[in-house]
Amino acid sequence: MTKRNVHFFTVKCPHFDTSFSFYLYLCRSIYYNKVITMGKEKIILTGDRPTGRLHIGHYVGSLKRRVDLQDAGDYSKMFIFIADSQALTDNIDNPEKVRQNVIEVALDYLACGIDPSKATIFIQSQIPELCELSFYYMDLVSVSRLQRNPTVKSEIQMRNFEASIPVGFFTYPISQAADITAFRATTVPVGEDQEPMLEQAREIVRRFNYIYGETLVEPEILLPDNAACLRLPGTDGKAKMSKSLGNCIYLSESEAEVKEKIMKNMYTDPEHIRVEDPGHIEGNMVFTYLDAFCKPEHFAEYLPDYSDLDELKAHYMRGGLGDVKVKKFLINVMNEELNPIRARRKEYEKDIAYVYEILKKGSEAAREVAAKTLDDVKNSMKINYFADQALIDEHIRKYQG
């Protein structure tokens, strides 16, 4: 489908920024994308900012799902990138922080079970084609549209950027669209908070395809299938688990560190003062984390007095169950999940040169794919001057007769 296939109208639609013809195109484009991608290879792209070690919020929100998807074999390709360029947009005065944490994120990926023989792991800054794609996509997005992005708004507030927003940070949704489309990703597994970013990427794809013809693949979001994992709160009960807020449990932390954070820092029910007091499970981080990590078999192993999580919750709500007992159960559950990750990380830490070789090869392979997409984009935009022999011949005839 190209721009010529759409009937044009001059009437403006009050709820859209452009003409009704574009609205009609969007409807057709969505249908087109659904039909076309059914017959094409399924490709996953996802990544993380290297501003520190990864935490359990990353794990339940995306990392664990990535490993499952990788091993299921339902996707022909998987690209996982370390977003160092994006991390610099709010760390430009501290590049060493980003530089040092690239290896930390890579180690966490491998420790969680990402297999470099099944997934391409690469570093964002090593793919210069992404910058050029972002530059072209900027012409497809208005400043007001970026300002309306809820994720951008919340991130700006969290970093106190209201008075002085770095342009690179402000335009992150555009660079993310370049990341996704460069690898023709059909699926992006992320947390719920990233949904507005994916919608903006889809808008960019539709707008580009409307103007220049079908070139880019429109991505779909893949949310965690466990509701408790959509966005795991911090240990202090705040909505977002964040390195900067200091409310994280890191994947690489020791058993003792995890125990201390749960016993001393985890928010429970402030009204549950005595054991016999009825407790609330809503907003109680111990039960929120149990919803995300607990399995039925954990009870037989660590808390045989209860058959399942529902029974434990019921006892807590009617009173007679102390926070310490529930916290100790959570500590066992968490460490059982994290122990294999810790062990794999220690093995990879013994051969850092090998980890860097994985990143180098992955970046080289990723760049080949991105370069092909950039060629397609430039061909569609008709800025492939030296490869367009028809244009050259036309000008020869025009000027040389």
Side-chain angles (χ1 to χ4, degrees):
M1 185 188 298
T2 66
K3 184 176 177 180
R4 291 186 298 274
N5 299 125
V6 181
H7 296 289
F8 285 87
F9 298 88
T10 57
V11 178
K12 293 285 184 179
C13 181
H15 300 297
F16 292 85
D17 294 331
T18 186
S19 64
F20 182 69
S21 62
F22 181 54
Y23 171 60
L24 176 62
Y25 173 81
L26 290 183
C27 296
R28 294 183 178 182
S29 178
I30 293 169
Y31 172 77
Y32 172 92
N33 185 69
K34 293 288 186 184
V35 172
I36 293 301
T37 54
M38 286 173 60
K40 284 191 174 181
E41 59 180 348
K42 297 165 69 177
I43 300 172
I44 285 179
L45 178 122
T46 186
D48 299 279
R49 289 159 43 98
T51 53
R53 296 171 294 167
L54 300 183
H55 52 64
I56 59 173
H58 296 113
Y59 181 69
V60 299
S62 181
L63 280 172
K64 191 172 187 296
R65 189 74 177 276
R66 293 178 203 176
V67 176
D68 293 340
L69 293 169
Q70 162 197 275
D71 295 339
D74 295 332
Y75 292 83
S76 56
K77 295 177 184 175
M78 176 179 281
F79 295 93
I80 303 175
F81 70 103
I82 300 174
D84 61 327
S85 297
Q86 203 284 320
L88 285 169
T89 62
D90 59 328
N91 288 280
I92 196 62
D93 58 344
N94 190 10
E96 193 63 20
K97 172 184 174 182
V98 176
R99 176 183 169 85
Q100 293 297 330
N101 280 304
V102 166
I103 190 66
E104 295 289 349
V105 173
L107 286 167
D108 284 332
Y109 283 167
L110 297 168
C112 286
I114 298 298
D115 184 346
S117 69
K118 298 178 181 178
T120 302
I121 307 173
F122 67 94
I123 302 174
Q124 185 185 34
S125 64
Q126 304 307 297
I127 318 298
E129 288 78 7
L130 299 177
C131 294
E132 189 169 351
L133 285 172
S134 298
F135 183 77
Y136 299 140
Y137 294 171
M138 285 180 186
D139 297 327
L140 304 173
V141 184
S142 67
V143 171
S144 62
R145 177 63 185 91
L146 289 173
Q147 289 173 327
R148 293 196 303 269
N149 188 306
T151 304
V152 173
K153 282 183 179 179
S154 64
E155 294 288 343
I156 287 172
Q157 291 172 354
M158 189 175 76
R159 290 168 172 79
N160 297 317
F161 278 162
E162 289 92 339
S164 182
I165 308 170
V167 173
F169 187 87
F170 183 61
T171 58
Y172 170 47
I174 299 173
S175 65
Q176 187 182 66
D179 297 332
I180 294 168
T181 57
F183 304 98
R184 304 189 183 279
T186 58
T187 307
V188 182
V190 291
E192 188 179 34
D193 60 319
Q194 291 296 308
E195 197 156 11
M197 305 294 260
L198 262 293
E199 180 54 36
Q200 189 133 38
R202 286 192 287 265
E203 290 175 9
I204 289 172
V205 168
R206 293 168 191 164
R207 184 67 179 163
F208 185 96
N209 289 347
Y210 168 69
I211 296 171
Y212 300 111
E214 297 297 335
T215 308
L216 304 175
V217 175
E218 187 175 330
E220 296 291 336
I221 192 170
L222 182 63
L223 295 170
D225 50 9
N226 181 343
C229 299
L230 287 174
R231 188 169 186 175
L232 193 68
T235 55
D236 56 1
K238 292 184 178 177
K240 185 177 179 64
M241 182 176 289
S242 168
K243 308 177 188 87
S244 60
L245 296 175
N247 59 1
C248 304
I249 294 177
Y250 294 100
L251 295 171
S252 57
E253 287 186 313
S254 68
E255 290 190 11
E257 289 171 320
V258 170
K259 178 180 179 180
E260 182 177 6
K261 287 190 173 183
I262 292 176
M263 294 301 294
K264 292 185 177 181
N265 302 331
M266 188 161 283
Y267 183 83
T268 56
D269 176 8
E271 298 179 7
H272 188 246
I273 300 171
R274 297 170 299 180
V275 172
E276 59 268 25
D277 291 339
H280 298 87
I281 61 172
E282 296 83 6
N284 187 324
M285 293 302 100
V286 177
F287 285 99
T288 299
Y289 282 44
L290 285 173
D291 280 332
F293 288 96
C294 185
K295 301 173 185 175
E297 55 267 29
H298 287 144
F299 287 91
E301 180 72 20
Y302 304 118
L303 203 60
D305 294 342
Y306 302 87
S307 59
D308 55 32
L309 188 53
D310 288 337
E311 187 179 348
L312 185 68
K313 288 179 178 179
H315 190 180
Y316 188 82
M317 287 188 289
R318 68 175 181 266
L321 177 59
D323 288 319
V324 171
K325 186 173 183 177
V326 185
K327 283 185 173 183
K328 287 181 177 178
F329 176 56
L330 175 61
I331 290 168
N332 286 324
V333 169
M334 292 294 303
N335 280 323
E336 182 177 308
E337 187 79 22
L338 295 177
N339 276 336
I341 296 173
R342 295 183 185 113
R344 282 192 293 265
R345 198 182 207 273
K346 288 185 183 301
E347 288 302 310
Y348 281 109
E349 286 174 352
K350 295 175 183 177
D351 194 353
I352 294 299
Y354 173 63
V355 177
Y356 270 104
E357 187 63 22
I358 290 172
L359 294 176
K360 181 184 178 187
K361 289 182 177 179
S363 297
E364 290 170 350
R367 188 173 182 188
E368 287 183 14
V369 177
K372 175 62 171 64
T373 300
L374 178 60
D375 282 345
D376 291 344
V377 164
K378 294 174 78 170
N379 288 341
S380 295
M381 295 177 69
K382 304 300 183 186
I383 55 175
N384 57 335
Y385 305 107
F386 306 127
D388 190 346
Q389 190 60 45
L391 175 67
I392 296 171
D393 291 342
E394 175 191 338
H395 288 166
I396 289 173
R397 289 192 299 272
K398 178 179 179 181
Y399 293 104
Q400 298 179 2

